[in-house]
Amino acid sequence: MSITLWGRRNSANVQKVSWLLAELEMRYEHILVGGSHGGLDAPEYLALNPNAKVPTLRDGELVLWESHAIVRYLSATYASGLLWPVEPRDRALVDQWTDWVATTYQPAWVGVFWDLVRTPPAQQNAEAIRKGVAETVRLQRMMDSRLAEVPYLAGEELTYADIVAGVSLYRWFTMPVDRSSLPHFEAWHERLRARKAFQEAVCVSYEELVGRLAF
Ligand SMILES: N[C@@H](CCC(=O)N[C@@H](CS)C(=O)NCC(=O)O)C(=O)O
């Protein structure tokens, strides 16, 4: 087994993969590309990932891009029954929340991050920020209701659904937003934050992204 991960540490999509690899205590080579590191338009990178984004993962002969495909592959291969349930009914719940993150939650919270953190203050649109925060909180309220019943999004155990959603937490709780009180969502944040793998992969400074729209 020889695993290589390409991507910058302050990318939320890369953090899904590095968090998961840290949970599994897997050894891998990490090549820093994207953002201020550049390299995404290099022919050798485009040959691996024609989408010219991070993350990209190589495991032996297999090359994969799209963060959710990567976490699903790693979980199925190296964490079956752990981060990837075996029963189809349990697995379906993991994928329900994972797809919801891709289509609904991540566009909302990342939109707020771009409008509020990446956009220089002089160019910010207060109304867009207000709407983005309201939508993100509405979606977090959905998670709060779910997390009132179970400790993790898909049930009793941590799965990759928590990882793809949970990469939002460090940024959300450090951004200057008006956060509503959501006790079960906050308790889930505490549970995830207690994990060494979360601290290593997700609690990463995003200082170089502040006021920077370039990448
Ligand atoms: N849907 C893709 C999105 C990938 C993506 O947009 N990555 C961003 C970073 S989060 C990127 O590569 N931006 C250009 C850069 O970092 O230079 C995934 O989940 O992997």
Side-chain angles (χ1 to χ4, degrees):
M1 171 185 67
S2 164
I3 292 182
T4 306
L5 169 65
W6 284 262
R8 56 183 166 89
R9 293 187 199 283
N10 59 13
S11 148
N13 288 312
V14 172
Q15 288 173 5
K16 295 169 188 172
V17 182
S18 46
W19 177 2
L20 194 138
L21 288 165
E23 286 288 345
L24 301 181
E25 298 183 0
M26 289 178 75
R27 295 169 67 85
Y28 62 101
E29 183 184 6
H30 194 158
I31 300 178
L32 298 174
V33 288
S36 58
H37 305 285
L40 302 189
D41 51 1
E44 50 282 17
Y45 189 76
L46 290 172
L48 295 169
N49 183 343
N51 199 37
K53 300 280 187 198
V54 289
T56 300
L57 182 101
R58 186 167 61 203
D59 183 7
E61 298 296 305
L62 176 71
V63 176
L64 267 182
W65 39 274
E66 280 299 325
S67 58
H68 291 189
I70 296 171
V71 297
R72 190 173 288 125
Y73 163 74
L74 288 171
S75 301
T77 308
Y78 300 109
S80 184
L82 195 64
L83 297 173
W84 204 61
V86 172
E87 285 298 320
R89 281 169 180 265
D90 298 334
R91 201 176 278 176
L93 289 177
V94 179
D95 283 329
Q96 167 194 281
W97 285 103
T98 300
D99 286 4
W100 176 81
V101 168
T103 58
T104 308
Y105 180 56
Q106 185 161 318
W109 80 260
V110 168
V112 175
F113 186 72
W114 274 83
D115 289 348
L116 185 64
V117 175
R118 302 208 55 165
T119 303
Q123 296 170 37
Q124 288 182 5
N125 177 334
E127 182 55 11
I129 294 170
R130 191 195 60 74
K131 280 189 178 160
V133 171
E135 173 64 359
T136 303
V137 170
R138 183 182 76 80
L139 300 171
Q140 289 173 345
R141 196 164 285 125
M142 275 178 64
M143 286 191 264
D144 189 66
S145 298
R146 170 67 175 159
L147 293 163
E149 297 163 357
V150 284
Y152 297 100
L153 289 173
E156 294 300 322
E157 307 293 339
L158 180 89
T159 67
Y160 65 75
D162 300 288
I163 291 179
V164 300
V167 293
S168 64
L169 295 171
Y170 176 70
R171 294 186 186 190
W172 183 257
F173 283 98
T174 54
M175 276 194 264
V177 286
D178 193 7
R179 287 175 286 274
S180 292
S181 171
L182 299 171
H184 308 294
F185 181 77
E186 284 159 29
W188 174 68
H189 176 213
E190 291 306 319
R191 278 194 286 284
L192 298 181
R193 209 169 56 157
R195 306 181 80 91
K196 189 165 164 276
F198 177 93
Q199 288 162 18
E200 282 172 13
V202 182
C203 301
V204 171
S205 168
Y206 52 85
E207 189 59 35
E208 75 154 355
L209 305 177
V210 175
R212 194 164 186 176
L213 293 165
F215 47 79

